[in-house]
Amino acid sequence: MRPIKLTMSAFGPYAKETTIDFDKFGGKGLYLITGATGAGKTIIFDAITFALYGTASGTDRKSSSLRSPYADFTTETFVEFTFEYKEKRYKVRRNPEYERERIRGDGTTKKSADALLEGPDFNPISQKTKVDAKLQEILGIDRNQFTKIAMIAQGDFKELLKDNTKERIAIFRKLFKTENFNNLQEKLKSASIELKNRYEETERSISQYVDGLSLPEDVSKPENTGNYDAVIETIGTIIEDDKKAEEHNNILNEQNEEELRKVNNNLTVAKVQEENRALLKKAERGLSETKPHLEELEKHLKDKQAKGTEIDKLKERNNTLEKSKPDYDKLDNIRKEFNATAKELHKTSDLLDEIQRSYEEISSTIVSEKQELELLRGVDAEKHRLLAQQDSLNNEKENLESLENAQQSYAGSCQDAETAKENYLKAGEQAEKAREKYNRLYRAYLDNQAGILAADLKEDIPCPVCGSVHHPHLALLKECCSKDELDFAEKE
């Protein structure tokens, strides 16, 4: 921040409106505010601090006591401060709360505290609280930090050095804009804790899955020691075995289907033979019905042959028999067919018995294969479950590897931070030594100024500092550093 112009009206010892134009001193270098005790040096610091923060720079000055006791009752008390920050100009005007004599009548009237802020990139802001907030946003530091690093009042120089570590950290963080690094450190810390929690949760979940694995009896369960390569290898072996078993069962299913087709063909043949057997039984029943009639005819024929006298009757009977002969021939043919069918039926019966035995064996095999197929279906479901579990384990493994990389990166960042901290402490020690050297030279240089002035003093001639014409105790001129040596120590 660079001050441009400061106007004080009825403020502190300044009864009237007084303006200090810092622009006349140039834009570089230092401004030295000097004068006798009580001349009003500190009030300039108070005015600048009051304009920015609404309170004086010292701890023993209240805002309500800033009105000048020498001011006329018609003169308004205010401070107007124009300053430049980051190549932008701002102007703030404030007045404290104070009481003044009434223009008309007796007594006093109270003036409320107020403020107005103008800037290049926002509309004018009024009201004390809003102006306070905006100025702290622009400058980035509060009133306490400002008085310790930007404008140090008399006797307050060592307060910054005496402050506790937490306060100095806050001040330096504001000065050197390291809030982002602090935020990054906090985010990395939170991320590390979150990743650690996720890692532990993932490890517990994997351990639970491993403990809950259901393995075949001939497969020994791997120990749950945190190394899951053995678990993954065991699951992969089981999956390969399941694949081989599935291929074998597919071959058996094809063979069973072929046997089932043969059985169906045999059942078709057996059905035809069953139909032939039914026809044979029907023919047997017809033969049984015709045989008694044939035997009766043969008996009558023998009787007629024995009785020659009954030739006519026999002829008549013979005609009847002749008429029945086609039936007899038909019956004879039926008998022959019956005998042939009986032989074929016997063969078919033997074949049917063989088919029945084969059918029963194949049925038993089918039942066994179906049971094994049901078991294989369960294995297939277990296979899919294990594959899904393997995918989940692979994902968790990738997460663990990512976490390990993050932890390594975090460890490296911590090491870098520790190194930077050590460098900072060393630099702080060097800076402290250089500061002590400068303060020592500066005090010696100031002390020597009195000796330089005293060298030209003469009795009865007024002192240019205090105006006294008597000089009983002259300051001695001591050996001291030059101005160039003092400036070099200040730069260091």
Side-chain angles (χ1 to χ4, degrees), residues 229-475:
D229 291 337
V231 178
I232 295 173
E233 183 179 356
T234 302
I235 293 174
T237 302
I238 295 173
I239 291 173
E240 291 297 325
D241 293 341
D242 290 343
K243 287 182 179 179
K244 294 177 181 178
E246 183 181 17
E247 293 174 357
H248 176 69
N249 289 325
N250 289 335
I251 295 173
L252 292 178
N253 286 337
E254 292 177 358
Q255 294 175 353
N256 291 334
E257 289 176 358
E258 181 65 25
E259 292 293 334
L260 185 60
R261 284 194 295 272
K262 292 179 180 180
V263 170
N264 289 332
N265 293 334
N266 292 334
L267 287 176
T268 303
V269 174
K271 186 176 180 182
V272 173
Q273 292 175 350
E274 186 68 26
E275 292 176 353
N276 291 335
R277 187 178 292 177
L279 291 174
L280 179 60
K281 288 181 179 179
K282 184 177 180 182
E284 288 176 344
R285 285 196 301 272
L287 181 62
S288 298
E289 293 174 356
T290 308
K291 189 174 182 180
H293 183 58
L294 180 61
E295 291 175 351
E296 184 180 355
L297 290 176
E298 288 178 346
K299 184 179 179 182
H300 280 294
L301 179 59
K302 291 178 180 179
D303 290 341
K304 292 299 181 182
Q305 289 176 348
K307 295 177 181 181
T309 58
E310 297 180 358
I311 293 174
D312 293 336
K313 290 182 179 182
L314 290 174
K315 287 183 178 179
E316 184 179 356
R317 185 65 176 169
N318 185 53
N319 291 334
T320 303
L321 289 173
E322 286 292 335
K323 293 179 180 179
S324 301
K325 188 177 180 180
D327 293 332
Y328 181 82
D329 293 337
K330 184 176 180 181
L331 181 61
D332 188 54
N333 292 331
I334 289 174
R335 183 184 288 111
K336 291 178 181 178
E337 291 178 2
F338 173 77
N339 291 332
T341 304
K343 292 179 181 179
E344 187 68 24
L345 182 61
H346 183 69
K347 293 180 181 179
T348 304
S349 179
D350 293 339
L351 180 61
L352 185 61
D353 291 338
E354 181 67 25
I355 291 172
Q356 183 67 28
R357 286 193 297 273
S358 298
Y359 175 75
E360 290 176 355
E361 291 175 359
I362 293 173
S363 296
S364 176
T365 302
I366 290 174
V367 171
S368 176
E369 295 295 338
K370 283 184 177 180
Q371 292 176 351
E372 189 172 356
L373 183 61
E374 289 298 325
L375 292 176
L376 288 175
R377 287 175 181 171
V379 170
D380 187 62
E382 181 67 13
K383 167 190 169 183
H384 289 297
R385 188 183 69 80
L386 290 175
L387 286 174
Q389 193 175 56
Q390 184 180 18
D391 293 338
S392 177
L393 289 173
N394 288 334
N395 292 334
E396 296 297 341
K397 182 179 180 182
E398 292 177 0
N399 290 336
L400 291 175
E401 291 175 351
S402 176
L403 174 61
E404 184 178 2
N405 294 333
Q407 286 180 329
Q408 292 175 355
S409 176
Y410 172 70
S413 299
C414 290
Q415 184 62 36
D416 292 342
E418 190 64 27
T419 302
K421 180 179 178 181
E422 293 176 359
N423 294 336
Y424 168 75
L425 293 175
K426 291 178 181 178
E429 292 176 358
Q430 295 174 358
E432 186 65 26
K433 292 178 180 179
R435 184 181 297 108
E436 291 176 357
K437 177 182 178 182
Y438 169 72
N439 290 337
R440 186 173 63 255
L441 293 176
Y442 182 68
R443 285 194 297 271
Y445 181 80
L446 291 182
D447 292 343
N448 211 36
Q449 300 305 306
I452 294 172
L453 291 174
D456 296 331
L457 289 180
K458 295 181 180 179
E459 193 67 18
D460 298 329
I461 296 177
C463 174
V465 177
C466 62
S468 175
V469 295
H470 300 291
H471 319 294
H473 302 290
L474 294 177

Side-chain angles (χ1 to χ4, degrees), residues 3-9 11 14 17-23 33 40-52 78-83 91-93 151:
I4 304 298
K5 182 182 289 186
L6 175 66
T7 299
M8 300 172 286
S9 175
F11 190 82
Y14 298 98
E17 186 173 309
T18 303
T19 299
I20 302 175
D21 190 354
F22 293 95
D23 244 1
I33 299 176
K41 301 185 297 296
T42 303
I43 201 65
I44 297 176
F45 298 142
D46 288 341
I48 293 176
T49 307
F50 173 75
L52 295 175
F78 69 86
V79 172
E80 187 175 274
F81 182 47
T82 303
F83 63 95
K91 182 168 74 172
V92 58
R93 178 186 174 100
M151 193 164 292

Side-chain angles (χ1 to χ4, degrees), residues 2-230:
R2 187 172 73 88
I4 304 298
K5 182 182 289 186
L6 175 66
T7 299
M8 300 172 286
S9 175
F11 190 82
Y14 298 98
K16 298 181 180 180
E17 186 173 309
T18 303
T19 299
I20 302 175
D21 190 354
F22 293 95
D23 244 1
K24 292 181 179 180
F25 306 139
K28 296 181 180 180
L30 300 175
Y31 303 145
L32 174 63
I33 299 176
T34 183
T37 301
K41 301 185 297 296
T42 303
I43 201 65
I44 297 176
F45 298 142
D46 288 341
I48 293 176
T49 307
F50 173 75
L52 295 175
Y53 296 100
T55 57
S57 62
T59 57
D60 56 348
R61 297 177 186 269
K62 296 182 179 179
S63 299
S64 58
S65 63
L66 293 176
R67 177 171 172 80
S68 175
Y70 313 112
D72 184 81
F73 66 89
T74 59
T75 303
E76 181 182 3
T77 297
F78 69 86
V79 172
E80 187 175 274
F81 182 47
T82 303
F83 63 95
E84 184 179 277
Y85 186 71
K86 292 184 178 180
E87 299 181 354
K88 294 181 180 180
R89 287 203 173 191
Y90 302 91
K91 182 168 74 172
V92 58
R93 178 186 174 100
R94 283 186 191 268
N95 65 269
E97 179 183 284
Y98 62 92
E99 290 188 358
R100 62 173 176 81
E101 297 178 353
R102 293 180 178 274
I103 298 176
R104 296 183 181 86
D106 298 331
T108 59
T109 182
K110 180 179 288 187
K111 174 71 174 180
S112 300
D114 201 2
L116 177 66
L117 176 64
E118 299 176 6
D121 48 4
F122 55 85
N123 294 327
I125 300 174
S126 58
Q127 297 182 3
K128 180 180 181 300
T129 55
K130 292 182 179 180
V131 172
D132 292 345
K134 186 63 178 179
L135 280 170
Q136 184 157 342
E137 176 187 339
I138 294 171
L139 298 176
I141 53 176
D142 58 24
R143 178 258 181 199
N144 185 43
Q145 295 167 338
F146 177 81
T147 57
K148 291 182 179 181
I149 63 177
M151 193 164 292
I152 304 176
Q154 295 182 101
D156 292 340
F157 179 77
K158 292 184 180 180
E159 285 191 12
L160 175 62
L161 303 179
K162 292 180 180 179
D163 273 338
N164 57 50
T165 302
K166 184 176 180 181
E167 179 66 20
R168 285 203 304 272
I169 288 175
I171 293 173
F172 290 139
R173 186 173 294 147
K174 292 283 187 179
L175 277 177
F176 301 114
K177 307 296 182 184
T178 60
E179 293 92 343
N180 292 336
F181 297 103
N182 184 63
N183 295 337
L184 176 61
Q185 183 178 355
E186 292 299 325
K187 289 182 179 179
L188 287 174
K189 183 178 179 181
S190 300
S192 175
I193 294 173
E194 181 181 357
L195 288 173
K196 182 180 179 182
N197 293 336
R198 285 175 56 190
Y199 170 80
E200 293 175 350
E201 180 64 27
T202 303
E203 192 173 44
R204 287 195 295 271
S205 177
I206 295 174
S207 178
Q208 182 179 0
Y209 281 123
V210 173
D211 292 337
L213 282 177
S214 178
L215 303 178
E217 295 180 356
D218 58 342
V219 178
S220 60
K221 188 171 183 180
E223 295 183 2
N224 187 4
T225 59
N227 182 8
Y228 303 110
D229 291 337

